[in-house]
Amino acid sequence: MSASMIINGTDAGTAWGVVPAPGFIAALLAPAPLKTPVQTEIRFEHGTRTRVIPKLAKRDITMELSILANNPQQFLTRYNGFISELHKGNLDIETDAIPDTVFHCRFVSATQFSHYSGLAKIILKLEEPNPANRT
């Protein structure tokens, strides 16, 4: 059984037939990188001065999803609804697999789209601007 996915307060499976691929939890939980430390090159000293203040950098997320439908009409309705939600730009993603956590992301692009009878596969590129803000 796969985990449910809530996007902007809407159950993605019920509203758009969206089923996340098994690796979507790992994509959400991947640690954010740290920002590059501040370095100063001083002409009269060897090397550089480095000041490390650990702060998280933005994080890029790649997530594979499928859209399931019973017929072409249902597929187009679900597909258009999902794309409309993506084009809002900001996506608040929740899942029952990671309780009490909301990932505030920005839609960047869909890098791959494959459509078969009753099934579409989409690979989304998202950006989490502030990984420290997951409330």
Side-chain angles (χ1 to χ4, degrees):
M1 177 159 179
S2 67
S4 69
M5 181 178 200
I6 309 295
I7 298 176
N8 294 341
T10 302
D11 185 320
T14 303
W16 308 298
V18 170
V19 178
F24 104 102
I25 299 297
L28 289 175
L29 289 177
L34 291 176
K35 287 185 175 182
T36 305
V38 177
Q39 293 187 330
T40 305
E41 185 120 356
I42 299 185
R43 189 172 177 90
F44 302 107
E45 294 180 8
H46 297 289
T48 60
R49 286 188 188 178
T50 302
R51 183 173 171 141
V52 179
I53 303 171
K55 297 290 181 185
L56 298 179
K58 76 170 184 73
R59 185 170 75 104
D60 296 321
I61 301 170
T62 302
M63 183 181 301
E64 182 179 331
L65 306 171
S66 297
I67 299 175
L68 303 176
N70 295 322
N71 56 57
Q73 181 60 38
Q74 184 185 44
F75 171 76
L76 287 174
T77 300
R78 287 179 168 185
Y79 172 80
N80 288 330
F82 184 60
I83 297 304
S84 292
E85 194 68 30
L86 292 178
H87 285 165
K88 289 180 180 177
N90 293 322
L91 305 175
D92 291 338
I93 300 173
E94 301 173 70
T95 177
D96 56 2
I98 311 168
D100 303 323
T101 304
V102 179
F103 296 87
H104 303 287
C105 299
R106 185 179 70 81
F107 172 66
V108 175
S109 67
T111 59
Q112 179 180 349
F113 175 77
S114 304
H115 180 258
Y116 309 101
S117 179
L119 170 69
K121 181 176 103 171
I122 299 175
I123 297 179
L124 297 180
K125 294 281 187 183
L126 306 173
E127 176 184 280
E128 188 179 20
N130 182 0
N133 177 20
R134 293 188 178 161
T135 57

